Amino acid sequence: MPLPLVKSARRYTSAQQFAYEELRSWILNAVLQPHEVVRDVEIAQFLGVSRTPVREALIRLGQEGLIEASASRMTRVAGLPLDRAPHLFQAGAPLDALAAELATPLMTEADLNLMQGLLDSMARTVAPDRLSALDEEFHRVYYRRAGNPVLVELLESLDEQLRRIERHIWGYVPVHEEAYEEHRVLLAALRAGDAGAAAEAARANWLRSLRRGEELLKPAPQEA
């Protein structure tokens, strides 16, 4: 279970919050893999805290569906929520389309240049965690410009719920070129001021992400 460097616990209001946020980040960003065993003793030693806040953090993560305990009392990272993914992508598609439509007449040159820079960075990397982060940053530029905080909250919630799945989808190299082209088309529509085309490009990106997830992450057939 190789783990990354952690932030200082002094930044947090409690050891439990510190452990919770570190563990949650590791799970969402695939540092801890689906079904990987999580041992509170090891985590506590690594974070430099006692076992109690780690256990409390694991309970919170269990309530969020990110951690599960088996009958053998072994604590593991929960599997990917593949059963929820279609519903999340289907809900996100029209919301992202609305954000793109609302944002189109409000986009600034700085917004468009920022998105172009993010797109260029996507073309230069193959690291799944980096691609996933760039993808979220790209979309959030026009989410914020849309001027609807409720819409932004809904989309960011969906993004967070899908982050583990998206991170695994980005691990397949053939996805990179296809997704890059979808983002290029969306940016071109925003730059042209074409709200309808921007909305359609945003919707298509979400629905194609759903298709990619269904094709790439479908469970392996059980042997007879």
Side-chain angles (χ1 to χ4, degrees), residues 27-224:
I27 294 170
L28 291 178
N29 293 296
V31 175
L32 293 175
Q33 293 290 315
H35 309 297
E36 183 171 350
V37 173
V38 179
R39 298 179 175 86
D40 58 0
V41 175
E42 293 181 6
I43 297 296
Q45 291 175 343
F46 187 81
L47 295 178
V49 299
S50 70
R51 292 174 66 185
T52 298
V54 173
R55 287 173 175 169
E56 293 172 346
L58 291 172
I59 290 171
R60 286 180 65 184
L61 293 165
Q63 293 169 343
E64 295 178 13
L66 296 175
I67 287 289
E68 56 190 22
S70 67
S72 64
R73 300 181 62 81
M74 191 73 74
T75 301
R76 299 177 183 273
V77 176
L80 296 175
L82 299 179
D83 56 334
R84 285 176 55 81
H87 306 298
L88 294 169
F89 279 114
Q90 288 164 5
L95 293 175
D96 200 303
L98 176 58
E101 182 178 4
L102 292 174
T104 299
L106 304 173
M107 296 293 287
T108 67
E109 193 63 28
D111 293 332
L112 298 168
N113 289 340
L114 174 57
M115 292 179 73
Q116 184 63 59
L118 293 167
L119 188 61
D120 292 343
S121 295
M122 289 175 70
R124 292 194 296 266
T125 184
V126 295
D129 54 345
R130 179 63 176 149
L131 284 165
S132 181
L134 288 167
D135 178 41
E136 287 192 20
E137 291 177 46
F138 180 94
H139 288 271
R140 284 179 180 173
V141 176
Y142 63 87
Y143 290 178
R144 291 189 293 267
R145 188 57 65 191
N148 186 323
V150 174
L151 181 59
V152 173
E153 288 176 12
L154 290 170
L155 281 163
E156 290 186 346
S157 173
L158 289 168
D159 281 342
E160 189 166 274
Q161 292 179 70
L162 282 166
R163 188 173 299 151
R164 297 176 70 208
I165 290 174
E166 289 276 22
R167 164 61 177 73
H168 282 268
I169 292 174
W170 282 112
Y172 294 86
V173 174
V175 167
H176 301 176
E177 184 175 346
E178 183 177 311
Y180 174 88
E181 178 62 16
E182 291 166 16
H183 287 75
R184 187 197 65 76
V185 169
L186 172 53
L187 178 55
L190 290 168
R191 193 178 291 280
D194 189 334
E200 181 52 37
R203 181 183 295 105
N205 174 236
W206 275 72
L207 295 179
R208 287 171 184 161
S209 293
L210 168 59
R211 175 183 55 76
R212 287 189 284 266
E214 289 176 335
E215 291 176 355
L216 298 172
L217 301 179
K218 59 186 177 184
Q222 298 292 323
E223 293 185 3

